[in-house]
Amino acid sequence: MAECGRKALSLLEAARSRYESLQISDDVFGESGDDSSDNPFYSTSGDSDSDNYIAESGHSGGTGGGSAAGPPGSLSRSQAEEEGWTETLQDVTVPPYNDTYGPAQKMPATATALDFFQLFVPDNCIQNMVTQTNMYAKKFQERFGSDEGWRPVTAQEMKAFLGFVTSTSVHRCESVLSIWSSGFFSNQSIALKMSQSRFEKILKYFHIVAFRPSQGSNQGLYKIQPFLDSLQQSFSCTFRPSQTQVLHEPLIDEDPVFITTCTERELRKRKKRKFSLWVRQCTSTGFICQIAVHLKDGQGTDGLATLKNKPQLHSLVAKQLCQNISGKNAIIFTGPSITSLSLFTEFSKQDIYCCGLLSTRKSDCTGLPQSMLVCGSTPAQRGQSRIMMKGSMSLISWYNKGHFKFLANAYSPTKKGLIIKRKSGEIPCPLAVEAFAAHLSYICKYDDKYSKYFIFHKPNKTWQQVFWLSISIAINNAYILYKMSDAYTVKRYSRAQFGERLVRELLDLDDCSPTQ
């Protein structure tokens, strides 16, 4: 038993050492999360989406796979040779990162939670909410009749309004109105700051943009686009990400606890989101550097709604997210819906290097050899891999209780890595596979932590859903900057304490110390 314990400890130490060499920094968030065995990008289950093409198409072939039909756009063996794909491997070197990394400005040790939050939502932004809300209320009442209970909102009230809604993430209550109730989620300590009727009036008229602009009137997000633009600019100005970043959709649908406890009937009653949100995220800290929102219904001036092909849509989203990092030698990790040879080739011309998971069902496989995409009939051994190259681009087929395909030019195909699992021990793999698994598993742990700031208020309007989701991201980024500042060395607040302190500061309560 003692020998098994020593072996497990040595494996964990080896894993930590290798993850540190790949720029993984758990210390930024303090406590480490649970082991992410449910990583959507990296799974060791035999029914993985990564490659089930033979089972779908009904074909089978040998290891070469030349006789099996491949996914649309893939190349036969002769076509692949003509296009320059070869099994002769050569070393690939990524140039050093051409940018600095970390917070762009030094915050004082006396900085409060509100100071960090207002790096992203400053006073002028809140004042704009005040102006637009009052304009909308005036226009609404001119059209539908006066509202005797309404009076123009002030900046202090708007901060309190933000604080009340944000408190739903701290106290995990789904309805913000429960603050004033006598039930389990009531919170009399903050309820006295504003009456429920006043809060409901502000909620009724709350707006970021009161009226549709004369230009761009078809843009579905016109009511929130100025705020998103301001938020994006503040993300770029306050933090510079590390060389390794990831493009993905964060977990934003529901609280995981609710999903596991609610009934099927309750799930059916909940409306599906009408938008998707993609982010570019620093893998060393979890800081979300850029966001891209796409409406699933309706027409948009950006042309996204006209794209019916999902790989095309996701490719365009990826280009939008990466438009500010060209020429910096950044390394981008992508999921199957984004990974494609054409996109990676285009990125390489901009000095953006990539490593992505491939799926024959979700990815655009145009220009890739069929022999690497179709599973062979001969059983593979765990850790076995095959690699083909075209220029600096590597196409990897790796087996671990299922076939996994990767496309990469960010890591040399000649270098080996290890996947270290607590139960299975060491599993050999190409370095690109190890790097992908390490960085993406860390992002999954980050998503678990991010859910602590998920605002549970559920408005019906899509633009309001996007707004509160953006506020959640801003709070999370604020906490990351707090953890990296001198202020954290003075008062080491946990995520929950930081969130509660922010709520109390937004409400301008005298006692801003977090409850234990």
Side-chain angles (χ1 to χ4, degrees), residues 114 118 123 126 154-163 506-507:
L114 184 58
Q118 292 212 282
D123 283 333
I126 293 176
T154 65
Q156 185 177 6
E157 285 182 313
M158 186 58 71
K159 279 188 178 180
F161 174 77
L162 296 175
L506 284 168
L507 293 170

Side-chain angles (χ1 to χ4, degrees), residues 49 72 169 338 369 445 451 467:
D49 284 344
S169 67
I338 292 179
K445 291 181 180 179
S451 66
F467 173 77

Side-chain angles (χ1 to χ4, degrees), residues 50-66:
S50 178
D51 197 341
N52 283 327
Y53 197 80
I54 284 183
E56 297 166 6
S57 61
H59 293 279
S60 62
T63 304

Side-chain angles (χ1 to χ4, degrees), residues 315 319 339-348 364 366 407:
S315 176
K319 293 175 185 177
T339 302
S340 72
L341 178 61
S342 60
L343 178 64
F344 283 14
T345 301
E346 183 175 343
F347 274 167
S348 66
D364 178 6
T366 302
L407 188 65

Side-chain angles (χ1 to χ4, degrees), residues 164-173 450-457 472 475 499 503:
F164 279 120
V165 180
T166 300
S167 71
T168 63
S169 67
V170 177
H171 301 290
R172 320 301 287 174
C173 57
Y450 161 76
S451 66
K452 295 181 186 295
Y453 288 140
F454 185 88
I455 291 176
F456 280 73
H457 175 58
S472 299
I475 297 173
V503 168

Side-chain angles (χ1 to χ4, degrees), residues 427-461:
I427 306 171
C429 65
L431 182 61
V433 176
E434 179 190 358
F436 185 92
H439 287 282
L440 269 295
S441 64
Y442 183 66
I443 289 299
C444 284
K445 291 181 180 179
Y446 167 80
D447 279 340
D448 293 339
K449 294 177 173 63
Y450 161 76
S451 66
K452 295 181 186 295
Y453 288 140
F454 185 88
I455 291 176
F456 280 73
H457 175 58
K458 299 289 192 302
N460 291 326
K461 299 293 185 180

Side-chain angles (χ1 to χ4, degrees), residues 185-218:
F185 290 110
S186 65
N187 192 338
Q188 295 302 315
S189 64
I190 65 175
L192 298 177
K193 190 65 180 180
M194 181 185 292
S195 67
Q196 180 177 346
S197 60
R198 178 58 176 166
F199 175 86
E200 290 179 345
K201 291 293 183 183
I202 299 175
L203 181 63
K204 176 181 178 180
Y205 297 118
F206 175 67
H207 267 73
I208 306 296
V209 176
F211 309 115
R212 185 184 295 272
S214 58
Q215 296 181 350
S217 58
N218 289 329

Side-chain angles (χ1 to χ4, degrees), residues 299-483:
Q299 298 295 315
T301 57
D302 53 10
L304 290 178
T306 62
L307 295 175
K308 303 300 182 182
N309 185 289
K310 282 191 175 182
Q312 278 186 330
L313 168 63
H314 295 162
S315 176
L316 185 55
V317 169
K319 293 175 185 177
Q320 291 179 350
L321 290 172
C322 294
Q323 59 186 351
N324 296 330
I325 59 173
S326 58
K328 297 181 179 180
N329 301 324
I331 296 176
I332 299 297
F333 295 94
T334 64
S337 61
I338 292 179
T339 302
S340 72
L341 178 61
S342 60
L343 178 64
F344 283 14
T345 301
E346 183 175 343
F347 274 167
S348 66
K349 297 176 182 177
Q350 304 172 31
D351 295 326
I352 300 174
Y353 299 87
C354 305
C355 179
L357 181 64
L358 271 170
S359 166
T360 54
R361 290 187 290 184
K362 298 180 180 179
S363 303
D364 178 6
C365 296
T366 302
L368 301 178
Q370 293 177 7
S371 60
M372 294 291 292
L373 300 175
V374 179
C375 299
S377 58
T378 304
Q381 295 182 353
R382 195 172 192 182
Q384 181 179 346
S385 62
R386 292 181 60 236
I387 305 176
M388 291 189 72
M389 288 193 74
K390 177 182 179 181
S392 61
M393 199 72 65
S394 302
L395 178 58
I396 302 168
S397 176
W398 176 69
Y399 184 82
N400 181 25
K401 293 185 177 180
H403 289 275
F404 294 84
K405 316 296 184 184
F406 296 85
L407 188 65
N409 64 352
Y411 296 92
S412 176
T414 62
K415 294 183 179 179
K416 304 299 182 182
L418 288 173
I419 298 293
I420 303 176
K421 306 291 286 184
R422 288 184 175 89
K423 295 182 180 180
S424 308
E426 298 180 353
I427 306 171
C429 65
L431 182 61
V433 176
E434 179 190 358
F436 185 92
H439 287 282
L440 269 295
S441 64
Y442 183 66
I443 289 299
C444 284
K445 291 181 180 179
Y446 167 80
D447 279 340
D448 293 339
K449 294 177 173 63
Y450 161 76
S451 66
K452 295 181 186 295
Y453 288 140
F454 185 88
I455 291 176
F456 280 73
H457 175 58
K458 299 289 192 302
N460 291 326
K461 299 293 185 180
T462 298
W463 74 264
Q464 292 185 12
Q465 295 172 12
V466 175
F467 173 77
W468 293 116
L469 175 60
S470 302
I471 291 292
S472 299
I473 291 175
I475 297 173
N476 204 54
N477 280 353
Y479 181 70
I480 292 171
L481 293 183
Y482 164 73
K483 288 293 293 283

